[in-house]
């Protein structure tokens, strides 16, 4: 009897000491069309995705937290003009850049987010400041920018954010008659970046950053800064970051729905994520996708759009980068 109890105790001790299988998954948005992506552009995008993946994974490998890993990854994607976040963010109908971002930490349930911020080089860093330095979760516009100044975050001039490619994209969208809520031209309008991670201590985290939808009304806020809609993390369950037609992701609380199905219905990560993206959202004609990792390091990256920039790396350190169904 004593021997059995001792071996059970030893087993649980070794399980507790075992390191979680470090995993990092990222996305660079669902707004990518096969017909519009040139080979040259594809190669450039793949390179940045891999760079961001390796940087985030290196944080995990060195024993860093999932919070730090998702932050590191998203900052690299924000700094790249190739993706719709930070530099290279899409333009509003007024030709301005208004950015949304959020971060959530599964270990504590803490979260921070910003919406409609201008001039802040890395909105995801500001979202983290909201989480760590204020009693709030979501801050908008001028108040959020004031916090960025107090925290000495970097600001850039509008020209730094606005790329010729995004100017041209806005012009193309303006020529079309559809409103932002029309799904017909969404691949032209979408994009976003995000990351989810599981660290060696078993902690999950998620972060998302975006310029929103091309040609959105000034003041429009999407799902990306809304906890439970575009971003969610809960230890023991999963971490999720979404991309797609934000209004649908808000109404369907997509990120939290993945966690809720796992928690309350006992559904597996892949089944939960696939069902939401390729059944529930598809039936609503809601375009987009998500990336997710669970507490065991299983991952899921479903999308119902043409493609979704994505990359992932598990404990084996092998880099996987994908765009379409390949
Ligand atoms: N979800 C983002 C938004 O609606 C856009 C995107 O992911 O493409 O603001």
């Amino acid at each position: 009897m004593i021997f059995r109890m001792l071996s059970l105790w030893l087993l649980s001790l070794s399980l507790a000491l075992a390191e979680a299988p470090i995993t990092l998954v990222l996305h660079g948005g669902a707004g990518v069309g096969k017909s519009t992506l040139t080979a040259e552009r594809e190669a450039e995008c793949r390179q940045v995705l891999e760079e961001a993946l390796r940087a985030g994974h290196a944080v995990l490998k060195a024993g860093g937290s999932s919070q730090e890993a998702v932050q590191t990854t998203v900052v690299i994607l924000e700094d790249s003009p190739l993706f719709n976040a930070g530099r290279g963010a899409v333009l509003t109908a007024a030709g301005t850049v208004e950015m949304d971002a959020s971060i959530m930490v599964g270990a504590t349930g803490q979260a921070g987010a910003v919406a409609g911020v201008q001039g802040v080089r890395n909105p995801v860093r500001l979202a983290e400041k909201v989480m760590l330095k204020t009693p709030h979760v979501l801050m908008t516009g001028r108040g959020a920018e004031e916090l960025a100044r107090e925290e000495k975050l970097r600001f850039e001039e509008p020209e730094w954010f606005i790329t010729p490619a995004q100017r041209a994209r806005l012009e193309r969208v303006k020529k079309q008659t559809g409103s932002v809520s029309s799904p017909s031209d969404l691949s032209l309008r979408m994009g976003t970046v995000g990351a989810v991670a599981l660290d060696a201590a078993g902690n999950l985290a998620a972060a998302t950053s975006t310029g929103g939808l091309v040609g959105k009304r000034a003041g429009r806020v999407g799902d990306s800064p809304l906890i439970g809609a575009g971003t969610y993390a809960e230890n023991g369950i999963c971490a999720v970051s979404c991309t797609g037609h934000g209004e649908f992701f808000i109404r369907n609380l997509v990120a939290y729905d993945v966690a809720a199905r796992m928690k309350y219905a006992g559904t597996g990560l892949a089944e939960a994520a696939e069902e939401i993206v390729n059944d529930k959202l598809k039936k609503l004609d809601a375009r987009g996708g998500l990336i997710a990792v669970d507490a065991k390091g299983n991952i899921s990256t479903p999308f119902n759009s043409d493609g979704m920039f994505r990359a992932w790396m598990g404990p084996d350190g092998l880099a996987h980068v994908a765009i379409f169904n390949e």
Side-chain angles (χ1 to χ4, degrees):
M1 180 69 180
I2 288 179
F3 178 73
R4 234 184 99 198
M5 277 173 67
L6 192 67
S7 56
L8 275 176
W9 179 75
L10 278 173
L11 181 70
S12 60
L13 186 72
S14 64
L15 280 178
L17 289 177
E19 290 196 340
I22 55 169
T23 306
L24 187 99
V25 191
L26 65 81
H27 70 79
V32 49
K34 240 181 198 148
S35 55
T36 50
L37 189 68
T38 62
E40 195 189 353
R41 178 99 172 174
E42 178 176 337
E44 284 168 6
C45 289
R46 283 181 180 271
Q47 196 183 334
V48 177
L49 293 172
E50 188 169 335
E51 183 199 336
L53 179 73
R54 290 194 184 280
H57 193 268
V59 170
L60 298 174
K61 191 119 200 253
S65 69
S66 50
Q67 177 185 331
E68 207 186 321
V70 294
Q71 182 77 247
T72 301
T73 305
V74 170
V75 164
I76 291 174
L77 295 171
E78 283 179 338
D79 281 347
S80 164
L82 297 173
F83 300 99
N84 171 17
R87 188 175 185 205
V90 300
L91 307 183
T92 66
T96 54
V97 168
E98 292 184 3
M99 299 170 289
D100 304 334
S102 64
I103 185 164
M104 185 163 190
V105 177
T108 56
Q110 275 188 305
V114 291
V117 293
Q118 298 190 300
V120 180
R121 179 174 170 135
N122 294 112
V124 75
R125 284 198 204 280
L126 183 54
E128 192 180 49
K129 294 292 181 196
V130 172
M131 175 174 79
L132 299 176
K133 300 290 171 85
T134 79
H136 311 307
V137 171
L138 174 60
M139 292 183 69
T140 67
R142 241 175 317 142
E145 290 154 20
E146 224 170 85
L147 175 68
R149 274 187 206 96
E150 270 169 42
E151 294 298 326
K152 313 228 171 335
L153 293 187
R154 249 173 108 168
F155 276 75
E156 302 288 352
E157 293 301 320
E159 300 73 54
W160 190 87
F161 294 94
I162 301 175
T163 61
Q166 293 304 350
R167 268 193 221 281
R169 206 171 168 197
L170 178 64
E171 286 317 307
R172 280 202 302 277
V173 166
K174 274 187 169 169
K175 276 196 196 116
Q176 298 182 346
T177 48
S179 70
V180 161
S181 57
S182 132
S184 58
D185 61 347
L186 269 171
S187 73
L188 194 61
R189 293 190 171 188
M190 294 193 306
T192 278
V193 308
V196 295
L198 171 70
D199 64 29
N203 294 318
L204 291 161
T208 310
S209 182
T210 190
L213 296 180
V214 184
K216 67 184 182 182
R217 280 187 78 119
R220 177 261 187 191
V221 175
D223 59 310
S224 309
L226 302 183
I227 299 303
T231 303
Y232 189 73
E234 182 173 335
N235 266 18
I237 311 293
C238 64
V240 183
S241 171
C242 300
T243 170
H245 194 165
E247 281 68 13
F248 287 92
F249 282 69
I250 294 171
R251 288 195 288 259
N252 290 279
L253 275 174
V254 170
Y256 184 69
D257 196 11
V258 178
R261 285 169 191 240
M262 293 177 70
K263 258 178 19 166
Y264 304 126
T267 311
L269 177 83
E271 197 189 331
E274 280 290 343
E275 238 174 63
I276 294 166
V277 172
N278 280 313
D279 187 40
K280 189 178 177 184
L281 291 177
K282 212 170 178 178
K283 281 182 185 143
L284 296 168
D285 208 6
R287 296 271 160 256
L290 61 85
I291 54 167
V293 60
D294 72 10
K296 291 191 181 120
N298 297 308
I299 70 163
S300 181
T301 62
F303 55 96
N304 62 30
S305 43
D306 232 16
M308 179 173 80
F309 290 112
R310 58 202 190 280
W312 63 98
M313 190 181 273
D316 61 8
L318 285 178
H320 304 269
V321 180
I323 304 175
F324 303 105
N325 273 318
E326 46 210 77

